[in-house]
Structure formats: structure tokens, C-alpha cells
Amino acid sequence: MGSSNKPHGGDWKQRIFRWMEDNRGFIVVVVVLPLSLLFGLFMKLRHWLIRKFVSAPEKHDERVRAVQSQVMRWNKQPATERKLMCTARPNWQSLSTTFFRKDQCHQISLPLYDILELHENRMTVVVEPMVSVGEVTAFLVPRGYTLAVCLEVAEATLGGLAMGVGMTTFSHKVGLYQESIVAYEVVLADGSVVRATRDNQYSDLYHTLPWSHGTLAFLVSLELQVIKIKPHLKLEYIPVRGQHQYCQMIRELCGALDGTTSTPDYLEATIYSKDEAVIMVGNFCDVPQTEKHKINRLTRWHKQWFYKHAEGYLRTGRGFEYVPLEDYLLRHNRSIFWVVETMIPFGNHPLFRWLLGWLLPPKIAFLKYTTTPGVRAMTFTKQVFQDIVLPMNRLEDQINKSEELFDLYPILVYPCRIYDHGQHRGQLRPPRKDQLVPGTNYGMFNDLGVYGVPRPVLEKKRFDAVVAMREMERFTADLGGYPFLYADTFMTREEFEQMFDLTAYEKARQKYNAVGAFPHLHDKIKPEIDVIEVGKQYIEPL
């Protein structure tokens, strides 16, 4: 047979993908952002129509009965014909990087989009699970409140955070998102509705619903803790040089060394290199009349991306400004922390911000909606999106390990309490003794947020994503930490069960008839692609 001079199909795909990588800024601006805008307008119209003609707070019980009816119909099917249940919400509407095979499940529709009630006397708000962070923020802030744990991404849904996990810059005071949940209202596999709280007969369910990712029951409403606010924060930027110096300052400010320490209302750090960080301290305040000119509306379309704005204090030195609370809560939204820079390298340029900044951020749902299997397989080996809960007393080791494996900056650090609720009370194990804050029942941990493109990939060098992530998972397990499960995990089932304590979870699955009704947690969160095999294909630079 004669040889062919035509390139292999795989070569063409790699060349196309390489061209798209090299010109991603142009493609995103010319194609993705306009389509994302149209997509966002369509979704707003869809949500408006749903609220106008379908949903209303007073119809909540009626909508719950409709969910129950769907589950009852599933129960009436012959046992041999039943598929495992999941929500009918499309994968592209979630913030997870994975694409769970919902087409292989029996899908239950949950059209639950309403804010139901604000209980000012109890300092709680009751919401349906599809309410977004942006919507509840717009509802609460004008009334003088905000969620105790309020994520920075407007598209995130409150139900998704409840069944997964969330952490913010108030978490050094209250802990993970799950600690701010007063009650879950859920529909069980048999179609019954129960309300789970910390101390009622369903307390076992209350403690296992977080991190369960919809594998125990269908969430139909949440009661969440809110806090009283003032309209503005005084936000102080503290540039620190020297790794030990900034790590120690974070520990001191968050109360990791002494449980009696007075802590700021909001606290975070952005690490720009191994030896440089900016620590941000926010406190509720009234703005003096003489300092109104120092108010900075961070979320205006033409403003610098927040992490770039903060980085400037490394040059100018310590400083402060006043920030409207709603702007602070969504400060990372336009640039999706710093992920947008990997898509639009020139996106923070003043000319771009003034002319096209109003198009940001690209809708995460749209980006997922347009992700093909091929793009999904290639991009996961060239980008990192990980939030990892790790003990604050090992912060230096965390940063060093991240640099060793990914050499990627900036890095996000949010201090967070992890409470000791006792053995086998949920998927998280109690903090180890050396991790506990003296005189308290919690350990001070932190979110290590690693997002973007590793330096070896940027430099077109060899990068083995599988080896790097497997090593990061081993490091996390050794320290008694946990990765957020919205991101790709490379753990086997055995490794997963060693890291997470599934004792109470497995008992809850049996007790509430979730076995045979819902997927198992590991099956639900594991990548839909064979990450090991795909990783082997894309080790070499394109």
C-alpha cells in the first residue's frame, strides 16, 4: 500500500486547538462574549417568564407536591425498570467542571426559583434551591442583610452550594456554607417531605446533605442564616513580602492562633508570588462625609479587575477605601477571580474595559453549554480549577506544593472554621488535635484556590496533569484536607473513601431509601471521562 501524505485526523484537531489556544482572546471577544450576552439575555427572559407565569412564593407547597408526584410515579415503576433519579437541570447550568450522565437517569423537574420569606426576627431567609447568589444579594442588601456565607459568583445557586459546599471571606467567623443552613426541606426517595435541622429527628440527614451532591434526596427549600450589615465596608489592603510574614499575619488576623482574638468582618488574601501577597481586611462602617470620595464601586464595567486592583498595593503600599457591600460581595464576578485572563489576556486593559467591559463576565453556563467532548478532554489537561480545604497551620506547605506542581499564580486564600461535630457526623472528619484553635471546637482551615493555566503549559513545556493532580490529592489527604467536589477528581473509589468519612452518609442512604434511587456520591462527582487515559494522550505540548 502506498503511504498517504495527508495528516492524521488527530493532527488536524491538535493544530486547530493550538490555533484556538494562540488566538483565544480574539475568539472570545469576537464570538464568545457576544453569544454569551445573547445567551444571558435569553436566560433572563426565561427566568422572568418562569417567575411571571409559573412560580410565586405562595405556590411553593403546590410546586413541592408536583415534585412529590414525579417521585411517586417513579416508585410505581417495576423495580427492574427504574433508573436512578437525578434533577432535570441541565449540566451546563451548574458550576461543576464535570458533565454527569443525566441521560442515563430518571430526571425529576424542580422548577423552584423563588425567595420565599425573610424572617427578620430569626435572622434567616427561606429560599428555593434555584435562587442564585446574585438574586438573593439583590434582595437582601437593600433590606440591610446579606447571607452569612455569600459566594462571589452571581450565577451560583443556593441549592447547589447547599448540596455541595461553599466558603467565603466571612467563613473565618462562621465556617463553611453548611454551618449557615438552619434547615433543609427535602423530598425523599419514597416521595415524602421532611424538614431536617441540627437537632430534630432528621439531624442525621442535616449533617449528611452537605457534600452529598443530590445523592440523598431532592432539595426543595432552604432556610439560611443572614447577618445585619451596613451599606459599606472599609476595605484595607495590606501588602506583605516574605512567605512566613504573610502566612503568619493571616493566621493572626483570622484567629487561628487564639480563639479569643477579635477578627475582622471579612478577610482574604491573594498570593501573587511565593514571596508576595496582599491581605484584605474588611469591616462594616459608616462612611465619613469628608471621605465620600474614597468610595469605590468595584463592579462597574470600566473598573480594574479586583485582583489587579489589589495587586497595585504591592507598589503603592498599604491603603484603604470604602466599598459598597454589594460591590464587595461580587468583586470577583467580572473576571471570575482571574480565570477570564486566561481567555482574554488583554481583558484588563483600560481600552478594553471602557469599550467592552460591560460584556463581562462570559456566562459560565454558556461556556459549559458550548463545550464539546473533545474540548473538554483537551482543556482539563491544560488548566487547573481547584478549591481545596486545607489546615491553616500548614499554609506555607500548601503554597510550596502548589508552586511545585503547577507554578501558577495568583492563589486565593480564604480562612475558614471547620467544626468538630463529633465522629461520623458528616462527610468531613473532625479536625486533628494539632489543627484545633486553642479553647475552641473548631480548626482554622483555608480554601486554597488554584485557577488558571500552569506555567509549563504557557511555556509549551511538558505537563502531566494526571501526575500533578494525583500528587495534590495525596498531599491533601496527608494533611487531612478535602477538595471541593465541583472540580475534577482523580481519586479511586477506595482513595475517596479514605479521604472522606462516608460512615454516616452510607447509613443515611440506607435509612432514607436512597440506595437504588440516587447515584452514589463517588459515581455522581467523578469525571465523565477517563481522566487517566485522556491525560496520557495530552502530556506532550501541542
Side-chain angles (χ1 to χ4, degrees), residues 184-457:
Y184 303 84
E185 182 188 18
V186 296
V187 174
L188 300 176
D190 63 2
S192 61
V193 179
V194 302
R195 187 173 188 268
T197 68
R198 289 180 189 271
D199 51 12
N200 72 358
Q201 67 188 98
Y202 302 106
S203 63
D204 54 347
L205 199 55
Y206 175 91
H207 287 287
T208 51
L209 282 168
W211 299 80
S212 70
H213 289 263
T215 61
L216 291 174
F218 290 114
L219 182 65
V220 291
S221 78
L222 279 169
E223 186 172 0
L224 293 161
Q225 178 188 350
V226 300
I227 59 173
K228 193 71 179 170
I229 62 169
K230 290 186 175 182
H232 293 85
L233 290 182
K234 182 178 181 180
L235 189 59
E236 187 172 9
Y237 301 85
I238 308 171
V240 187
R241 288 180 169 83
Q243 186 186 68
H244 176 72
Q245 285 78 3
Y246 67 69
C247 288
Q248 191 67 4
M249 182 177 287
I250 295 169
R251 284 189 283 261
E252 291 171 356
L253 287 169
C254 72
L257 306 179
D258 183 353
T260 64
T261 300
S262 177
T263 59
D265 293 320
Y266 293 94
L267 177 65
E268 66 180 300
T270 301
I271 299 169
Y272 292 95
S273 72
K274 190 172 183 176
D275 296 312
E276 291 184 320
V278 175
I279 298 171
M280 284 148 276
V281 174
N283 287 290
F284 293 118
C285 72
D286 297 308
V287 181
Q289 194 64 37
T290 57
E291 295 191 324
K292 295 285 187 182
H293 63 284
K294 292 185 178 179
I295 295 175
N296 185 2
R297 297 197 63 88
L298 294 169
T299 58
R300 298 292 297 274
W301 85 96
H302 58 85
K303 294 283 187 174
Q304 263 197 318
W305 292 347
F306 179 70
Y307 77 98
K308 287 292 190 183
H309 172 64
E311 187 179 18
Y313 288 89
L314 286 169
R315 297 187 301 275
T316 61
R318 188 167 181 161
F320 74 91
E321 61 189 0
Y322 300 100
V323 179
L325 182 65
E326 191 166 355
D327 286 74
Y328 175 78
L329 294 176
L330 297 176
R331 66 200 177 283
H332 286 300
N333 189 59
R334 279 187 302 135
S335 57
I336 315 178
F337 294 93
W338 32 87
V339 172
V340 171
E341 186 179 26
T342 66
M343 295 185 272
I344 313 173
F346 48 82
N348 192 51
H349 190 282
L351 185 62
F352 178 88
R353 294 199 315 266
W354 276 100
L355 295 179
L356 296 173
W358 53 276
L359 286 169
L360 295 176
K363 293 295 181 184
I364 297 173
F366 175 77
L367 297 176
K368 285 195 69 176
Y369 184 74
T370 55
T371 297
T372 66
V375 170
R376 160 80 169 121
M378 295 184 82
T379 55
F380 103 86
T381 63
K382 298 181 176 297
Q383 296 175 342
V384 179
F385 297 102
Q386 292 287 331
D387 284 286
I388 308 170
V389 185
L390 290 161
M392 177 68 75
N393 63 355
R394 300 290 296 275
L395 182 55
E396 290 91 341
D397 294 334
Q398 301 171 33
I399 296 161
N400 294 341
K401 178 59 70 171
S402 175
E403 182 177 273
E404 173 194 333
L405 297 176
F406 308 114
D407 200 2
L408 167 61
Y409 291 96
I411 294 173
L412 184 77
V413 172
Y414 287 177
C416 176
R417 295 180 181 185
I418 300 294
Y419 284 90
D420 183 353
H421 293 297
Q423 291 289 339
H424 312 313
R425 293 287 282 169
Q427 281 81 295
L428 302 191
R429 303 178 190 278
R432 299 170 183 174
K433 288 184 179 181
D434 68 309
Q435 297 167 349
L436 289 171
V437 175
T440 74
N441 67 334
Y442 59 82
M444 191 61 73
F445 283 58
N446 63 273
D447 173 25
L448 188 77
V450 186
Y451 325 119
V453 180
R455 184 177 298 276
V457 176

Side-chain angles (χ1 to χ4, degrees), residues 460-498:
K460 304 293 189 293
K461 295 179 180 178
R462 180 183 177 89
F463 177 70
D464 191 327
V466 174
V467 169
M469 279 310 307
R470 293 278 292 163
E471 176 58 28
M472 194 67 191
E473 287 172 344
R474 281 191 290 271
F475 174 80
T476 299
D478 289 344
L479 266 60
Y482 311 91
F484 283 21
L485 298 178
Y486 78 86
D488 288 319
T489 176
F490 295 66
M491 288 179 281
T492 65
R493 174 74 170 263
E494 181 182 4
E495 291 166 340
F496 184 80
E497 294 183 357
Q498 289 174 352

